Amino acid sequence: DQQVKQNSPSLSVQEGRISILNCDYTNSMFDYFLWYKKYPAEGPTFLISISSIKDKNEDGRFTVFLNKSAKHLSLHIVPSQPGDSAVYFCAVLRDDKIIFGKGTRLHILP
Amino acid sequence: DTGVSQDPRHKITKRGQNVTFRCDPISEHNRLYWYRQTLGQGPEFLTYFQNEAQLEKSRLLSDRFSAERPKGSFSTLEIQRTEQGDSAMYLCASDPGGSGNTIYFGEGSWLTVV
């Protein structure tokens, strides 16, 4: 039973354009959401988070949007840069542990 | 380097052998987590400790797996009688007890069972 779903295994975006990564979750009781970024042969690193009391959180080029009624969140990266090529995991914090989606591999094209 | 340290980084073992991974968390982080990641999947929770107490174990953690954190500092994850399905990256993470954005992951230990 997947509680966090990332339905796009991969995404290719031109450098300088906007990257939009999507995520759906199943439990309306979840109240804290996170995005992690992972390069090959490294552990995931925290990118940005959002609490359920907000619908948007911004940090530099990264913005996370939360639509509670749709149980959907998205990560926007603008402008996309070559170093953004990585796997991005959507996650929720539940009972003191992080539950991850399967990830979306983002390729930034030159 | 003051991050989460894992050892060994890579391990190739024959089916049926035992393996042990070690994790050194960030100093004074009370919580320590173990996750497993297989190809095409996100990290899956295995277990976590608050100091030396093991607070939760996932049903993924069969009886061939055991984790310890004897003095509330480093932790070990042992897999007995390894099977090919155990091949994965084993990730350790530590946390001072915050809200998720303070969890730091190590670089992982790759296990290949042949």
Side-chain angles (χ1 to χ4, degrees):
Chain A
D1 60 334
Q2 244 189 301
Q3 301 180 69
V4 180
K5 300 178 185 179
Q6 293 178 260
N7 293 320
S8 298
S10 66
L11 175 68
S12 294
V13 174
Q14 207 77 34
E15 182 179 353
R17 307 293 287 266
I18 184 171
S19 296
I20 300 176
L21 297 101
N22 293 303
C23 176
D24 298 297
Y25 58 95
T26 57
N27 190 334
S28 57
M29 299 299 290
F30 290 153
D31 59 9
Y32 197 77
F33 305 89
L34 310 99
W35 285 93
Y36 276 77
K37 177 179 180 178
K38 186 179 184 300
Y39 292 118
E42 294 185 9
T45 55
F46 169 76
L47 195 56
I48 192 168
S49 62
I50 189 167
S51 162
S52 62
I53 62 172
K54 295 185 174 182
D55 54 19
K56 176 182 174 181
N57 188 26
E58 194 171 349
D59 183 2
R61 296 185 298 115
F62 303 92
T63 303
V64 56
F65 295 92
L66 177 62
N67 182 335
K68 289 184 286 293
S69 61
K71 288 186 277 188
H72 178 85
L73 65 157
S74 61
L75 174 68
H76 293 211
I77 307 173
V78 56
S80 301
Q81 298 176 353
D84 297 331
S85 293
V87 178
Y88 289 79
F89 293 103
C90 174
V92 299
L93 183 67
R94 181 186 178 187
D95 299 331
D96 291 330
K97 59 186 180 287
I98 297 177
I99 301 170
F100 290 88
K102 289 188 176 184
T104 297
R105 183 175 297 278
L106 176 63
H107 300 271
I108 303 302
L109 306 171
Chain B
D1 181 56
T2 57
V4 178
S5 175
Q6 292 189 243
D7 183 70
R9 294 292 314 280
H10 302 272
K11 178 73 177 179
I12 300 174
T13 191
K14 290 184 178 179
R15 191 175 51 183
Q17 298 293 305
N18 298 345
V19 295
T20 299
F21 298 110
R22 176 181 168 122
C23 172
D24 287 275
I26 295 172
S27 179
E28 298 182 358
H29 277 198
N30 297 323
R31 290 189 183 159
L32 186 148
Y33 299 81
W34 285 101
Y35 283 78
R36 180 181 75 181
Q37 186 178 10
T38 54
L39 203 60
Q41 301 292 320
E44 297 170 294
F45 169 79
L46 293 178
T47 188
Y48 89 100
F49 294 83
Q50 175 81 27
N51 298 312
E52 66 273 13
Q54 189 172 18
L55 295 188
E56 187 175 344
K57 292 193 286 187
S58 159
R59 44 190 183 169
L60 291 176
L61 215 65
S62 75
D63 56 8
R64 295 185 298 105
F65 288 71
S66 62
E68 295 182 345
R69 193 182 184 198
K71 296 181 181 177
S73 56
F74 74 92
S75 175
T76 58
L77 176 68
E78 181 183 18
I79 310 173
Q80 296 183 326
R81 305 181 303 282
T82 52
E83 301 173 355
Q84 286 187 320
D86 297 331
S87 295
M89 174 184 263
Y90 291 86
L91 289 159
C92 177
S94 72
D95 178 8
S99 57
N101 59 352
T102 54
I103 295 179
Y104 295 90
F105 283 83
E107 294 185 322
S109 292
W110 278 103
L111 173 65
T112 302
V113 182
V114 297

